[in-house]
Amino acid sequence: MGERAVWSREVGWFVAIGVASTAGQALLYWGLRPWSPPAVANLVSLLVLTVLNTEANRRLTFRHAATKAARAHLGAGGLFLLGYLVTSGAVLWFTHQRPDASPAAETAVLAATSVAVTVVRFVVLRLAVFRGPDHRRA
């Protein structure tokens, strides 16, 4: 399989996993939001879905990379922090601007911001976390 085919497969899996993860995070956030502040609901939902997302990407998206699970999850930990800061910042800014906003509106802001973070996440995962000689073998 050529590099272009590998790239296409990886992007396809990453998008599918990302859509499922974003939906899962949004649902978990929305469910937690009535009982917790936005930053806490985001922390819990993002933490749970980051672990699941990283493992799914390790097994499906980047399955030909010679990356151990510990390295994958450690690398994703740094991305988790970046994602948490960016998404929480967006939600907190939104709730400051619109204090009467519903949890559904907050969730929409969270999901939109997560998409932007996901693009950065793919590039970092592909180039730094799941790199190596076995990555090109498909």
Side-chain angles (χ1 to χ4, degrees):
M1 188 183 299
E3 182 65 24
R4 187 175 184 154
V6 169
W7 174 261
S8 295
R9 182 190 54 77
E10 288 177 351
V11 169
W13 273 113
F14 196 83
V15 167
I17 292 165
V19 167
S21 296
T22 299
Q25 182 191 2
L27 287 171
L28 188 54
Y29 175 88
W30 194 7
L32 292 170
R33 188 56 187 92
W35 298 282
S36 62
V40 173
N42 187 34
L43 178 66
V44 171
S45 63
L46 188 60
L47 183 60
V48 169
L49 269 298
T50 295
V51 171
L52 296 173
N53 176 289
T54 300
E55 192 58 25
N57 277 309
R58 187 179 78 82
R59 291 174 184 247
L60 299 170
T61 305
F62 304 110
R63 65 179 172 250
H64 298 292
T67 303
K68 305 248 187 246
R71 176 176 157 52
H73 286 280
L74 191 61
L79 294 169
F80 164 81
L81 182 59
L82 173 68
Y84 176 71
L85 292 173
V86 171
T87 56
S88 288
V91 170
L92 292 173
W93 177 83
F94 179 72
T95 58
H96 177 73
Q97 297 296 315
R98 304 253 336 259
D100 59 335
S102 70
E106 291 176 19
T107 302
V109 169
L110 178 71
T113 308
S114 292
V115 169
V117 169
T118 297
V119 172
V120 173
R121 182 176 162 79
F122 176 78
V123 172
V124 172
L125 286 175
R126 188 169 199 277
L127 297 178
V129 177
F130 292 104
R131 63 174 165 58
D134 290 347
H135 180 72
R136 293 188 183 260
R137 272 191 303 135

